[in-house]
Amino acid sequence: MYEINETHDPNLKSWVESANDPSTDFPIQNLPFCVYEFGDTEPVLGIGFIIGDKILDIYGCINDELMQNEAIAQFASFRFWTLNAIAGFAPGVLSDLRRQAVYLLSEKNKDRVAIAEHLYSISDVRFEAAFKTGDYTDFYCSIYHATNVGSMFRPDNPLMPNYKYIPIGYHGRASSIVVSGTDIKRPHGQNRSDAEKPPVFIPCKNLDYEMELGFFVGKGNEMGQPILMSEAENHIFGVCLVNDFLAKNFATTISPYVVTMEALAPFRTKAFERDTDDPQPLGYLNDEGNKNFGGLDINLEVYIQSEKMRNENIEPHLLSRSNTKDLYWTIGQMLTHHASGGCNLQTGDLMATGTVSGKEKHERGCLLELTWRGTEPLELPSGEQRRFLEDGDEIIMKGFCEREGFRRIGLGECRGRILPAD
Ligand code: MN
């Protein structure tokens, strides 16, 4: 696990002024990675660090010897990148890159002209998915979400008997991962509202979002070689926001910014504290480091803006606020369990936590829970009601970390708007 070091110093400021705005998600202490496309006639792809409202082009800095990194330099001749090219390097290599970027962008550095040539404005680029993802696994790690959903469908037995022993997951579709801002077309599915008749194939009626945290595999493991709990975090590159649109396989939206595990070091917290009558995790999922620091204190917010709200210039409306520290399983436990049978994880694989809900009603991370399967509709500031998503609705997810004595950092936004079915 990463230590807190001089790159987390809350007093650090950048000569990129927008990074010093107290409300920015991207101060110099954060520096998330991104993959972006720049230019219209002959667009080029780049990998960068986000700083304020700018992107520092890593390829350009290495090529001009503003940054030195042997491991990464050998990839620098390839302009068409994803983060897969570098994410498999040891944590030390990536830490070194972060230190150099902090040095270049710090206000103490007066040698700025050459660096400024490698800065792009966020508004001038198009973001791509940061990784080429081969496999996507979605877990179900919020005990509050699992209990709520379970009690709607199985009132007598809401939580499955294995829930407290195993981080449950399903294998999602990597092919339908899209980057924030991509429109989502309402899917079709079978619907049987009349038990006397066969089902009909119609546009989905109960379309929902799921507020989740995603994390990317950095270094993979050999097939047949499990990952020890104590090693788990060495295989996790960083996190993003995930909106897993139901029903499960047609669209998963991710934010384009990958906040590294090192940037998150000040926001680690203990793993979920289990009730005294709950079982402790089995040995392979139990480790002192994980127990004390395996959790993540990341606030997650979901907003909705309907078409009517957009037309009437009404700001997006907050639907819920939850926190990843309420997850029953840590991301390290998810990863270790995933590989425990010898499954070989690969650089760029995406894992998501499942809907992050808390104990309270305003902490429920999907409409299924918030409206209790549509029985308790929500009021929007436009006077509209919502049971599930309507055409034209835009869901906006945000994430941020705050802790006394440290600079606030954010995960940016993850947006998706619903288009009518064909
Ligand atoms: Mn999900």
Side-chain angles (χ1 to χ4, degrees):
M1 240 175 250
Y2 288 99
E3 305 278 319
I4 292 171
N5 58 41
E6 70 277 10
T7 67
H8 302 99
D9 179 353
N11 299 315
L12 277 178
K13 289 209 160 52
S14 174
W15 52 268
V16 177
E17 270 307 318
S18 55
N20 304 326
D21 180 335
S23 68
T24 183
D25 278 350
F26 309 123
I28 192 168
Q29 291 85 351
N30 192 354
L31 301 179
F33 282 95
C34 68
V35 171
Y36 60 93
E37 194 180 41
F38 178 78
D40 287 320
T41 43
E42 279 177 59
V44 287
L45 279 177
I47 292 183
F49 283 119
I50 309 259
I51 174 83
D53 60 2
K54 299 273 191 295
I55 300 168
L56 180 69
D57 175 22
I58 297 172
Y59 166 89
C61 289
I62 290 179
N63 209 33
D64 281 1
E65 298 182 352
L66 295 164
M67 284 182 179
Q68 278 83 29
N69 191 303
E70 268 181 46
I72 291 173
Q74 56 179 306
F75 288 88
S77 56
F78 298 101
R79 192 81 210 204
F80 297 95
W81 279 6
T82 61
L83 281 181
N84 299 56
I86 61 169
F89 290 127
V93 174
L94 298 165
S95 260
D96 179 50
L97 201 63
R98 174 180 164 88
R99 274 202 174 77
Q100 293 187 51
V102 167
Y103 173 79
L104 293 181
L105 295 166
S106 160
E107 69 173 356
K108 289 186 197 128
N109 181 15
K110 304 294 176 200
D111 202 5
R112 302 169 184 177
V113 180
I115 303 160
E117 279 179 29
H118 301 290
L119 285 177
Y120 295 90
S121 285
I122 285 179
S123 54
D124 291 342
V125 306
R126 295 172 294 281
F127 287 110
E128 302 277 319
F131 284 93
K132 171 117 185 65
T133 292
D135 280 293
Y136 161 46
T137 302
D138 193 21
F139 286 87
Y140 192 54
C141 286
S142 162
I143 196 166
Y144 303 112
H145 172 69
T147 306
N148 281 337
V149 173
S151 62
M152 288 175 216
F153 297 95
R154 296 179 308 274
D156 301 333
N157 181 23
L159 213 56
M160 296 303 267
N162 60 357
Y163 192 87
K164 293 175 177 176
Y165 288 101
I166 288 180
I168 297 166
Y170 75 97
H171 197 168
R173 288 287 303 172
S175 60
S176 48
I177 296 171
V178 294
V179 76
S180 175
T182 307
D183 291 334
I184 306 296
K185 192 164 59 182
R186 182 178 297 275
H188 277 67
Q190 290 198 12
N191 182 286
R192 189 175 202 173
S193 44
D194 185 345
E196 304 298 311
K197 292 180 183 161
V200 286
F201 188 67
I202 55 171
C204 168
K205 284 182 174 173
N206 297 349
L207 183 60
D208 203 356
Y209 63 83
E210 293 186 320
M211 173 76 253
E212 307 194 15
L213 183 78
F215 58 99
F216 289 101
V217 173
K219 187 158 61 89
N221 60 308
E222 293 291 322
M223 194 170 173
Q225 294 288 317
I227 297 170
L228 294 175
M229 208 46 248
S230 56
E231 287 288 317
E233 296 237 353
N234 292 336
H235 295 264
I236 300 176
F237 181 83
V239 306
C240 67
L241 299 167
V242 170
N243 182 355
D244 201 25
F245 282 97
L246 288 173
K248 299 294 182 200
N249 61 4
F250 80 99
T252 301
T253 308
I254 57 172
S255 55
Y257 325 103
V258 186
V259 175
T260 62
M261 296 314 292
E262 186 164 19
L264 290 166
F267 310 103
R268 303 312 299 262
T269 182
K270 56 185 184 304
F272 190 90
E273 263 187 283
R274 298 181 170 217
D275 288 343
T276 42
D277 52 351
D278 273 2
Q280 285 306 306
L282 298 186
Y284 77 102
L285 293 175
N286 212 347
D287 167 74
E288 273 308 296
N290 179 70
K291 204 170 177 173
N292 296 327
F293 303 104
L296 282 164
D297 186 354
I298 304 176
N299 298 290
L300 301 172
E301 292 179 339
V302 184
Y303 295 80
I304 190 170
Q305 193 181 39
S306 67
E307 196 162 348
K308 186 164 186 249
M309 290 169 70
R310 266 194 308 282
N311 293 338
E312 295 176 6
N313 285 322
I314 302 173
E315 293 288 296
H317 172 70
L318 180 69
L319 289 172
S320 70
R321 186 177 278 144
S322 56
N323 191 298
T324 50
K325 68 180 182 219
D326 289 329
L327 290 169
Y328 197 78
W329 298 99
T330 66
I331 58 172
Q333 286 171 319
M334 292 176 223
L335 182 114
T336 290
H337 178 68
H338 201 315
S340 62
C343 170
N344 49 323
L345 306 176
Q346 293 182 296
T347 302
D349 284 357
L350 176 67
M351 298 193 192
T353 57
T355 306
V356 182
S357 294
K359 213 183 232 173
E360 307 299 329
K361 209 170 167 181
H362 69 272
E363 298 175 318
R364 296 174 179 171
C366 61
L367 285 176
L368 177 73
E369 282 177 88
L370 280 171
T371 70
W372 210 256
R373 220 177 165 182
T375 58
E376 300 170 23
L378 291 167
E379 296 287 333
L380 301 186
S382 52
E384 298 168 284
Q385 280 197 339
R386 279 297 175 276
R387 292 181 164 82
F388 288 95
L389 294 172
E390 303 284 339
D391 294 343
D393 286 355
E394 184 167 37
I395 290 295
I396 304 143
M397 297 177 164
K398 299 182 185 189
F400 59 93
C401 304
E402 286 175 333
R403 192 180 148 202
E404 184 83 40
F406 290 94
R407 184 72 160 88
R408 174 197 186 277
I409 65 168
L411 278 67
E413 286 187 348
C414 181
R415 288 174 176 263
R417 193 182 293 187
I418 310 301
L419 300 184
D422 284 338

